[in-house]
Coordinates of all heavy atoms in Angstrom, one line a residue:
A186 N 103.0 71.3 111.7 CA 102.3 70.1 111.3 C 101.5 70.2 110.0 O 101.5 69.3 109.2 CB 101.6 69.5 112.5
M187 N 100.9 71.4 110.0 CA 100.0 71.6 108.8 C 100.8 71.7 107.6 O 100.4 71.3 106.5 CB 99.1 72.9 109.0 CG 98.1 73.1 107.9 SD 96.7 71.9 108.1 CE 95.9 72.4 109.6
S188 N 102.0 72.4 107.7 CA 102.7 72.6 106.5 C 103.3 71.4 106.0 O 103.5 71.1 104.8 CB 104.0 73.6 106.9 OG 104.9 73.0 107.7
K189 N 103.7 70.5 106.9 CA 104.1 69.1 106.5 C 103.0 68.3 105.9 O 103.2 67.5 104.8 CB 104.8 68.4 107.6 CG 106.0 69.0 108.1 CD 106.6 68.2 109.4 CE 107.9 68.7 109.9 NZ 108.5 68.0 111.0
S190 N 101.9 68.4 106.5 CA 100.7 67.6 105.9 C 100.3 68.1 104.5 O 100.0 67.2 103.6 CB 99.5 67.8 106.8 OG 98.4 67.2 106.4
L191 N 100.4 69.4 104.3 CA 100.0 69.9 102.9 C 101.1 70.1 102.0 O 100.9 70.6 100.8 CB 99.2 71.2 103.2 CG 98.0 71.2 104.0 CD1 97.4 72.5 104.2 CD2 97.0 70.2 103.6
N192 N 102.3 69.9 102.5 CA 103.6 70.0 101.7 C 103.7 71.4 101.2 O 104.0 71.7 100.0 CB 103.6 68.9 100.5 CG 105.0 68.9 100.0 OD1 105.9 69.1 100.6 ND2 105.0 68.5 98.6
V193 N 103.6 72.4 102.1 CA 103.8 73.8 101.7 C 104.7 74.5 102.8 O 104.9 73.9 103.9 CB 102.4 74.5 101.6 CG1 101.6 74.0 100.5 CG2 101.7 74.6 102.9
K194 N 105.1 75.7 102.5 CA 106.0 76.4 103.5 C 105.1 76.8 104.7 O 103.9 77.1 104.5 CB 106.6 77.6 102.9 CG 107.6 77.2 101.6 CD 108.1 78.5 101.0 CE 109.1 78.2 100.0 NZ 109.6 79.5 99.3
K195 N 105.7 76.9 105.8 CA 105.1 77.4 107.1 C 104.5 78.8 106.8 O 103.5 79.2 107.3 CB 106.0 77.2 108.3 CG 106.3 75.8 108.6 CD 107.2 75.9 110.0 CE 108.5 76.4 109.8 NZ 109.3 76.2 111.0
E196 N 105.4 79.7 106.2 CA 105.0 81.1 106.0 C 103.7 81.2 105.2 O 102.8 82.0 105.4 CB 106.1 81.8 105.2 CG 107.3 82.1 106.0 CD 108.3 80.8 106.1 OE1 107.9 79.8 105.3 OE2 109.1 80.7 106.8
E197 N 103.5 80.2 104.2 CA 102.3 80.2 103.4 C 101.0 79.7 104.3 O 99.9 80.3 104.0 CB 102.5 79.3 102.3 CG 103.4 79.7 101.2 CD 103.7 78.7 100.1 OE1 103.1 77.6 100.3 OE2 104.5 79.0 99.2
V198 N 101.2 78.9 105.2 CA 100.1 78.5 106.2 C 99.6 79.6 107.0 O 98.6 80.0 107.2 CB 100.6 77.3 107.0 CG1 99.5 76.9 107.9 CG2 100.8 76.1 106.1
V199 N 100.8 80.3 107.6 CA 100.4 81.6 108.4 C 99.7 82.6 107.7 O 98.8 83.1 108.1 CB 101.8 82.1 109.1 CG1 101.5 83.3 109.8 CG2 102.4 81.0 110.0
E200 N 100.2 82.9 106.5 CA 99.6 84.0 105.7 C 98.1 83.6 105.3 O 97.3 84.5 105.4 CB 100.3 84.2 104.4 CG 99.8 85.2 103.6 CD 100.5 85.4 102.2 OE1 101.5 84.7 102.0 OE2 100.2 86.3 101.4
M201 N 97.9 82.3 104.8 CA 96.5 82.0 104.6 C 95.6 82.0 105.8 O 94.4 82.3 105.7 CB 96.6 80.6 103.8 CG 95.1 80.1 103.4 SD 94.3 81.3 102.3 CE 95.4 81.2 100.9
E202 N 96.2 81.6 107.0 CA 95.3 81.6 108.1 C 94.9 83.1 108.5 O 93.8 83.3 108.9 CB 96.0 81.0 109.3 CG 95.2 81.0 110.6 CD 96.0 80.6 111.9 OE1 97.2 80.8 111.8 OE2 95.4 80.1 112.8
M203 N 95.9 84.0 108.3 CA 95.6 85.4 108.5 C 94.5 85.9 107.6 O 93.5 86.7 108.0 CB 96.9 86.2 108.4 CG 97.8 86.1 109.5 SD 99.3 86.9 109.3 CE 98.7 88.7 109.4
R204 N 94.5 85.6 106.3 CA 93.6 86.0 105.4 C 92.2 85.4 105.7 O 91.2 86.1 105.6 CB 94.0 85.5 104.0 CG 95.2 86.1 103.3 CD 95.3 85.6 101.9 NE 96.6 86.2 101.3 CZ 96.9 86.1 100.0 NH1 96.0 85.4 99.2 NH2 98.1 86.6 99.6
M205 N 92.2 84.1 106.2 CA 90.9 83.4 106.6 C 90.3 84.1 107.7 O 89.1 84.1 107.9 CB 91.1 82.0 106.6 CG 91.4 81.3 105.4 SD 91.9 79.5 105.7 CE 90.5 78.8 106.5
S206 N 91.2 84.5 108.7 CA 90.7 85.0 109.9 C 90.1 86.4 109.8 O 89.4 87.0 110.8 CB 91.7 85.0 111.0 OG 92.8 85.8 110.7
G207 N 90.5 87.1 108.7 CA 90.0 88.5 108.5 C 88.5 88.6 108.3 O 87.9 87.6 107.8
R208 N 87.9 89.7 108.6 CA 86.3 89.8 108.4 C 86.1 91.1 107.7 O 86.8 92.1 107.7 CB 85.6 89.7 109.7 CG 85.9 90.9 110.7 CD 85.3 90.6 112.0 NE 85.6 91.8 113.0 CZ 84.7 92.8 113.0 NH1 83.6 92.9 112.3 NH2 85.1 93.8 113.9
D209 N 85.0 91.0 107.0 CA 84.6 92.3 106.3 C 84.0 93.2 107.2 O 83.3 92.9 108.2 CB 83.4 91.8 105.2 CG 83.9 90.9 104.2 OD1 85.2 91.0 103.9 OD2 83.2 90.1 103.6
I210 N 84.3 94.5 107.0 CA 83.9 95.6 107.8 C 83.1 96.6 106.9 O 83.7 97.0 106.0 CB 84.9 96.3 108.6 CG1 85.6 95.3 109.5 CG2 84.4 97.4 109.5 CD1 86.8 95.9 110.2
A211 N 82.0 97.0 107.3 CA 81.3 98.0 106.5 C 81.9 99.4 106.6 O 82.3 99.8 107.7 CB 79.7 98.1 107.0
L212 N 82.1 100.1 105.5 CA 82.7 101.3 105.5 C 81.8 102.4 106.2 O 82.3 103.3 106.9 CB 83.0 101.9 104.2 CG 84.2 101.1 103.4 CD1 84.3 101.6 101.9 CD2 85.5 101.5 104.2
E213 N 80.5 102.2 106.0 CA 79.6 103.2 106.6 C 78.9 102.7 107.8 O 78.7 101.4 107.9 CB 78.6 103.7 105.6 CG 79.2 104.4 104.4 CD 78.1 104.9 103.4 OE1 77.0 104.6 103.6 OE2 78.6 105.5 102.4
A214 N 78.6 103.5 108.7 CA 77.9 103.1 110.0 C 76.4 102.7 109.7 O 75.9 103.1 108.7 CB 78.0 104.3 111.0
P215 N 75.9 101.8 110.6 CA 74.6 101.3 110.4 C 73.6 102.6 110.5 O 73.9 103.6 111.0 CB 74.3 100.3 111.6 CG 75.7 100.0 112.0 CD 76.6 101.2 111.8
S216 N 72.5 102.5 109.8 CA 71.6 103.5 109.8 C 70.7 103.6 111.1 O 69.6 103.0 111.1 CB 70.7 103.4 108.5 OG 70.0 102.2 108.5
D217 N 71.3 104.2 112.1 CA 70.5 104.4 113.3 C 70.7 105.7 113.8 O 71.3 106.5 113.2 CB 70.9 103.3 114.3 CG 72.4 103.3 114.6 OD1 73.0 104.3 114.5 OD2 72.9 102.2 114.8
D218 N 70.2 106.0 115.0 CA 70.2 107.4 115.7 C 71.3 107.6 116.5 O 71.4 108.6 117.3 CB 68.8 107.7 116.3 CG 67.7 107.6 115.3 OD1 67.9 108.0 114.2 OD2 66.5 107.3 115.7
D219 N 72.2 106.7 116.6 CA 73.3 106.7 117.6 C 74.3 107.6 117.0 O 75.1 107.2 116.1 CB 73.8 105.3 117.8 CG 75.0 105.3 118.9 OD1 75.1 106.4 119.5 OD2 75.5 104.2 119.3
D220 N 74.5 108.8 117.5 CA 75.6 109.8 117.1 C 76.9 109.3 117.4 O 77.8 109.9 116.8 CB 75.2 111.1 117.7 CG 73.8 111.7 117.1 OD1 73.5 111.3 116.1 OD2 73.3 112.6 117.8
E221 N 77.2 108.5 118.4 CA 78.5 108.1 118.8 C 79.0 106.9 118.0 O 80.1 106.4 118.3 CB 78.4 107.7 120.3 CG 78.0 108.9 121.1 CD 78.2 108.6 122.7 OE1 78.4 107.4 123.0 OE2 78.0 109.4 123.5
T222 N 78.2 106.3 117.0 CA 78.6 105.3 116.2 C 79.7 105.8 115.2 O 79.4 106.7 114.3 CB 77.4 104.6 115.5 OG1 76.6 104.1 116.5 CG2 78.0 103.5 114.6
F223 N 80.8 105.2 115.0 CA 81.9 105.5 114.1 C 82.1 104.4 113.2 O 82.0 103.2 113.6 CB 83.2 106.0 114.8 CG 83.0 107.2 115.6 CD1 82.7 107.2 116.9 CD2 83.2 108.5 115.0 CE1 82.6 108.4 117.6 CE2 83.1 109.6 115.6 CZ 82.8 109.6 116.9
A224 N 82.4 104.7 111.9 CA 82.7 103.6 111.0 C 84.0 104.1 110.2 O 84.4 105.2 110.3 CB 81.6 103.6 109.9
P225 N 84.6 103.1 109.6 CA 85.9 103.5 108.9 C 85.9 104.7 107.9 O 86.8 105.4 107.8 CB 86.3 102.2 108.1 CG 85.5 101.1 108.9 CD 84.3 101.6 109.5
I226 N 84.6 104.9 107.3 CA 84.6 106.0 106.4 C 84.8 107.4 107.1 O 85.2 108.3 106.4 CB 83.1 106.0 105.8 CG1 83.1 106.9 104.5 CG2 82.1 106.4 106.8 CD1 83.9 106.3 103.4
A227 N 84.6 107.3 108.4 CA 84.8 108.6 109.1 C 86.2 109.0 109.3 O 86.6 110.2 109.4 CB 84.1 108.5 110.5
Y228 N 87.1 108.1 109.3 CA 88.5 108.4 109.5 C 89.5 107.9 108.4 O 90.7 108.2 108.4 CB 89.0 107.8 110.8 CG 88.9 106.3 110.9 CD1 89.6 105.3 110.4 CD2 87.7 105.8 111.8 CE1 89.4 104.0 110.6 CE2 87.5 104.5 112.0 CZ 88.3 103.6 111.4 OH 88.1 102.2 111.4
L229 N 88.9 107.2 107.4 CA 89.7 106.8 106.2 C 90.0 108.0 105.3 O 91.0 108.1 104.7 CB 89.1 105.7 105.4 CG 89.1 104.3 106.1 CD1 88.4 103.3 105.2 CD2 90.5 103.8 106.3
S230 N 89.1 108.9 105.3 CA 89.3 110.1 104.5 C 89.9 111.2 105.3 O 89.2 111.6 106.3 CB 87.9 110.5 103.7 OG 88.0 111.6 103.1
S231 N 90.8 111.9 104.8 CA 91.4 113.0 105.5 C 91.6 114.1 104.5 O 92.3 114.0 103.4 CB 92.7 112.6 106.1 OG 93.5 113.6 106.7
D232 N 91.2 115.3 104.9 CA 91.4 116.5 104.0 C 92.9 116.9 103.9 O 93.3 117.5 102.9 CB 90.7 117.7 104.6 CG 89.1 117.5 104.5 OD1 88.8 116.8 103.7 OD2 88.5 118.2 105.3
A233 N 93.7 116.5 104.9 CA 95.1 116.8 104.9 C 95.9 116.1 103.7 O 96.9 116.6 103.3 CB 95.7 116.4 106.2
N234 N 95.3 115.0 103.2 CA 95.9 114.4 102.1 C 95.4 114.8 100.7 O 95.9 114.2 99.6 CB 95.7 112.9 102.2 CG 96.3 112.3 103.4 OD1 97.4 112.7 103.7 ND2 95.7 111.3 104.1
E235 N 94.5 115.8 100.6 CA 94.1 116.2 99.4 C 95.2 117.0 98.7 O 96.0 117.8 99.4 CB 92.9 117.1 99.5 CG 91.7 116.4 100.0 CD 90.5 117.3 100.1 OE1 90.6 118.5 99.8 OE2 89.4 116.9 100.4
P236 N 95.4 116.9 97.3 CA 96.5 117.6 96.8 C 96.5 119.1 97.0 O 97.7 119.7 97.3 CB 96.2 117.4 95.2 CG 95.4 116.1 95.2 CD 94.6 116.1 96.4
S237 N 95.4 119.8 97.1 CA 95.4 121.2 97.3 C 95.9 121.5 98.7 O 96.7 122.5 99.0 CB 94.0 121.8 97.1 OG 93.2 121.2 98.0
K238 N 95.5 120.7 99.7 CA 95.9 120.8 101.1 C 97.5 120.6 101.2 O 98.2 121.2 102.0 CB 95.2 119.9 102.0 CG 93.7 120.2 102.0 CD 93.4 121.6 102.7 CE 91.9 121.8 102.8 NZ 91.7 123.1 103.4
V239 N 98.0 119.5 100.5 CA 99.4 119.3 100.6 C 100.2 120.3 100.1 O 101.2 120.8 100.6 CB 99.6 117.9 99.9 CG1 101.2 117.7 99.7 CG2 99.0 116.7 100.6
L240 N 99.8 120.9 99.0 CA 100.5 122.0 98.3 C 100.5 123.2 99.2 O 101.5 123.9 99.4 CB 99.9 122.4 96.9 CG 100.5 123.5 96.1 CD1 102.0 123.2 95.8 CD2 99.8 123.7 94.9
E241 N 99.3 123.4 99.8 CA 99.2 124.6 100.7 C 100.1 124.5 101.9 O 100.8 125.4 102.4 CB 97.8 124.8 101.1 CG 97.5 126.0 102.1 CD 96.0 126.0 102.5 OE1 95.1 125.5 101.8 OE2 95.8 126.6 103.6
A242 N 100.2 123.3 102.4 CA 101.0 123.1 103.5 C 102.6 123.2 103.1 O 103.4 123.8 104.0 CB 100.9 121.6 104.1
Q243 N 103.0 122.7 102.0 CA 104.3 122.9 101.5 C 104.7 124.3 101.4 O 105.8 124.8 101.6 CB 104.5 122.1 100.2 CG 104.4 120.7 100.3 CD 104.6 119.9 99.0 OE1 104.4 120.5 98.0 NE2 104.9 118.7 99.1
Q244 N 103.7 125.2 100.8 CA 104.0 126.5 100.7 C 104.1 127.3 102.0 O 104.9 128.2 102.1 CB 102.9 127.1 99.9 CG 102.8 126.8 98.3 CD 101.6 127.4 97.6 OE1 100.6 127.7 98.2 NE2 101.8 127.6 96.3
Y245 N 103.3 126.8 102.9 CA 103.4 127.5 104.3 C 104.7 127.2 104.9 O 105.3 128.1 105.6 CB 102.2 127.0 105.1 CG 102.2 127.6 106.5 CD1 101.7 128.9 106.7 CD2 102.7 126.8 107.6 CE1 101.7 129.4 108.0 CE2 102.6 127.4 108.9 CZ 102.1 128.8 109.1 OH 102.1 129.2 110.3
D246 N 105.3 125.9 104.8 CA 106.5 125.5 105.4 C 107.5 126.3 104.7 O 108.5 126.8 105.4 CB 106.8 124.1 105.2 CG 105.8 123.3 106.0 OD1 105.2 123.8 107.0 OD2 105.6 122.0 105.7
R247 N 107.5 126.5 103.4 CA 108.5 127.2 102.7 C 108.5 128.8 103.2 O 109.5 129.4 103.3 CB 108.3 127.2 101.2 CG 109.4 127.7 100.3 CD 109.4 127.3 98.9 NE 110.3 127.9 98.1 CZ 110.0 128.9 97.2 NH1 108.9 129.3 97.1 NH2 111.0 129.5 96.5
L248 N 107.3 129.2 103.3 CA 107.1 130.7 103.7 C 107.7 130.9 105.2 O 108.4 131.9 105.4 CB 105.7 131.1 103.7 CG 105.2 132.4 104.2 CD1 105.8 133.5 103.1 CD2 103.7 132.7 104.2
Q249 N 107.6 129.9 106.0 CA 108.0 130.0 107.4 C 109.5 129.9 107.5 O 110.1 130.5 108.3 CB 107.4 128.8 108.2 CG 106.0 129.0 108.6 CD 105.7 130.0 109.6 OE1 105.7 131.3 109.4 NE2 105.5 129.6 110.8
S250 N 110.1 129.2 106.6 CA 111.6 129.0 106.6 C 112.3 130.0 105.7 O 112.9 131.0 106.2 CB 111.8 127.6 106.3 OG 111.4 127.2 105.1
E251 N 112.3 129.6 104.4 CA 113.0 130.5 103.5 C 112.6 131.9 103.4 O 113.3 132.9 103.4 CB 113.1 129.7 102.1 CG 113.6 128.4 102.1 CD 113.5 127.8 100.8 OE1 113.4 128.5 99.8 OE2 113.5 126.6 100.6
G252 N 111.2 132.0 103.2 CA 110.6 133.3 103.0 C 110.8 134.2 104.1 O 111.2 135.5 103.9
L253 N 110.6 133.9 105.4 CA 110.7 134.8 106.5 C 112.2 135.2 106.7 O 112.4 136.3 107.0 CB 110.2 134.0 107.8 CG 110.1 134.8 109.0 CD1 109.2 136.0 108.9 CD2 109.6 134.0 110.2
E254 N 113.1 134.2 106.6 CA 114.4 134.6 106.7 C 115.0 135.7 105.6 O 115.7 136.6 105.9 CB 115.4 133.3 106.7 CG 116.9 133.7 107.0 CD 117.1 134.2 108.4 OE1 116.3 133.8 109.2 OE2 118.0 134.9 108.5
A255 N 114.5 135.4 104.4 CA 114.7 136.3 103.4 C 114.2 137.6 103.6 O 114.8 138.7 103.4 CB 114.4 135.8 102.0
A256 N 112.9 137.8 104.1 CA 112.3 139.0 104.4 C 113.0 139.8 105.5 O 113.2 141.1 105.5 CB 110.9 138.9 104.7
L257 N 113.5 139.1 106.5 CA 114.1 139.7 107.7 C 115.5 140.2 107.2 O 116.0 141.2 107.8 CB 114.2 138.8 108.9 CG 113.0 138.4 109.6 CD1 113.2 137.3 110.6 CD2 112.5 139.6 110.4
G258 N 116.0 139.5 106.2 CA 117.4 139.9 105.8 C 117.4 141.3 105.1 O 118.5 141.9 104.9
K259 N 116.2 141.7 104.6 CA 116.1 143.0 103.9 C 116.0 144.1 104.8 O 115.8 145.4 104.4 CB 115.0 143.0 102.9 CG 115.2 142.0 101.8 CD 114.0 141.9 100.8 CE 114.3 141.0 99.7 NZ 115.5 141.3 98.8
L260 N 115.9 143.9 106.1 CA 115.6 145.0 107.1 C 117.0 145.5 107.7 O 118.0 144.7 107.8 CB 114.8 144.5 108.2 CG 113.3 144.1 107.8 CD1 112.6 143.6 109.0 CD2 112.6 145.2 107.1
D261 N 117.1 146.7 108.1 CA 118.2 147.2 108.8 C 118.1 146.6 110.3 O 117.0 146.2 110.7 CB 118.2 148.7 108.9 CG 116.9 149.3 109.6 OD1 116.9 149.3 110.9 OD2 116.0 149.7 108.8

Side-chain angles (χ1 to χ4, degrees):
M187 188 72 69
S188 67
K189 290 181 180 179
S190 173
L191 302 179
N192 194 27
V193 296
K194 297 179 180 178
K195 291 187 290 184
E196 293 78 8
E197 294 177 355
V198 175
V199 173
E200 180 184 359
M201 182 55 67
E202 185 191 21
M203 292 176 63
R204 292 187 184 188
M205 292 172 59
S206 62
R208 63 187 181 90
D209 297 331
I210 301 176
L212 283 178
E213 297 183 354
S216 55
D217 52 33
D218 297 330
D219 188 1
D220 294 335
E221 296 183 356
T222 299
F223 292 94
I226 196 67
Y228 51 81
L229 286 179
S230 177
S231 173
D232 293 340
N234 294 324
E235 293 182 1
S237 59
K238 297 292 185 181
V239 172
L240 181 59
E241 182 179 336
Q243 291 175 347
Q244 290 178 334
Y245 180 77
D246 291 341
R247 186 164 176 257
L248 181 66
Q249 286 285 82
S250 55
E251 300 177 23
L253 185 58
E254 185 61 33
L257 288 171
K259 293 184 179 297
L260 301 179
D261 61 82

